[in-house]
Amino acid sequence: MELQKPWSVVYKEIYTIMEKNKNHMFRESGITNAQMGVMIALDLSQKPRLTMKELEKKVCLAQSTVAGLVARLEQKGLVECGCDSEDRRIKWVRRSKTGIELCEHTRREMHKMDQDFLSGLTPEERELFVQLLFKVRASLEDMEAGDSFVKKDAQNEKS
């Protein structure tokens, strides 16, 4: 009898399969998964454009990494960049017309992919699964905001 895997291992396996599928889908558009992460962050934003600092926070990546991703997206004509009219040190980024079209196409494709991944669940199970994912994310965000991860890591290092 096989030992039951911890849920975190199963989560990692699911994540890996989903990333592989997304990479395949994005490759057809000529962009990487990381570049699409930037596009999705811009797409989901309530603002017409984001500063580079705001974008860094949304995608949880370092400034240099985001700058490189944005530069490649700009070369591909998917985003437009500029400087704030009042403070030239502040750089902003927004989706271009082509970038908006890519996001619309990708949103439809990702919805199909999500449906395929959840096809083994009943409608009720799908709803519960999604609700639980949001609940777990909220718990993790609360823990992160309270620096629980950092405190636990520091305590483990002292032990």
Side-chain angles (χ1 to χ4, degrees):
M1 182 175 170
E2 183 181 342
L3 293 175
Q4 185 174 349
K5 296 177 187 177
W7 72 266
S8 57
V9 172
V10 176
Y11 166 80
K12 175 65 173 150
E13 292 170 348
I14 292 168
Y15 177 82
T16 301
I17 293 167
M18 292 179 76
E19 288 298 293
K20 183 177 168 184
N21 280 277
K22 286 193 305 185
N23 279 327
H24 177 73
M25 178 178 59
F26 298 150
R27 193 175 310 121
E28 293 173 3
S29 301
I31 64 172
T32 66
N33 194 18
Q35 290 169 348
M36 196 62 216
V38 169
M39 295 300 296
I40 290 169
L42 291 167
D43 185 47
L44 294 175
S45 173
Q46 300 297 316
K47 299 178 178 182
R49 64 186 190 195
L50 293 175
T51 67
M52 291 295 283
K53 286 275 186 217
E54 291 170 327
L55 187 55
E56 292 162 23
K57 287 181 184 176
K58 288 194 178 291
V59 296
C60 301
L61 294 172
Q63 184 273 330
S64 58
T65 304
V66 173
L69 291 169
V70 168
R72 287 186 289 286
L73 290 169
E74 189 174 25
Q75 289 171 349
K76 294 175 184 196
L78 297 172
V79 299
E80 300 166 343
C81 298
C83 292
D84 186 82
S85 58
E86 294 177 16
D87 187 344
R88 307 280 302 157
R89 297 172 296 175
I90 299 174
K91 187 174 180 182
W92 54 260
V93 60
R94 68 177 174 212
R95 295 172 301 151
S96 66
K97 184 176 189 263
T98 306
I100 292 169
E101 292 168 1
L102 174 66
C103 286
E104 290 170 357
H105 170 75
T106 301
R107 195 179 309 113
R108 288 189 300 272
E109 292 300 313
M110 287 179 74
H111 179 73
K112 287 180 200 173
M113 190 171 60
D114 287 349
Q115 295 306 309
D116 290 344
F117 284 139
L118 299 178
S119 64
L121 303 177
T122 66
E124 295 79 18
E125 290 170 332
R126 288 181 193 189
E127 181 65 30
L128 179 60
F129 178 71
V130 171
Q131 287 175 359
L132 291 172
L133 283 177
F134 279 101
K135 192 171 186 176
V136 168
R137 185 185 72 184
S139 294
L140 291 173
E141 287 172 346
D142 289 347
M143 289 173 66
E144 191 175 41
D147 292 329
S148 294
F149 292 126
V150 176
K151 290 176 187 169
K152 286 180 185 176
D153 287 343
Q155 288 172 351
N156 289 340
E157 288 176 11
K158 290 178 184 178
S159 302

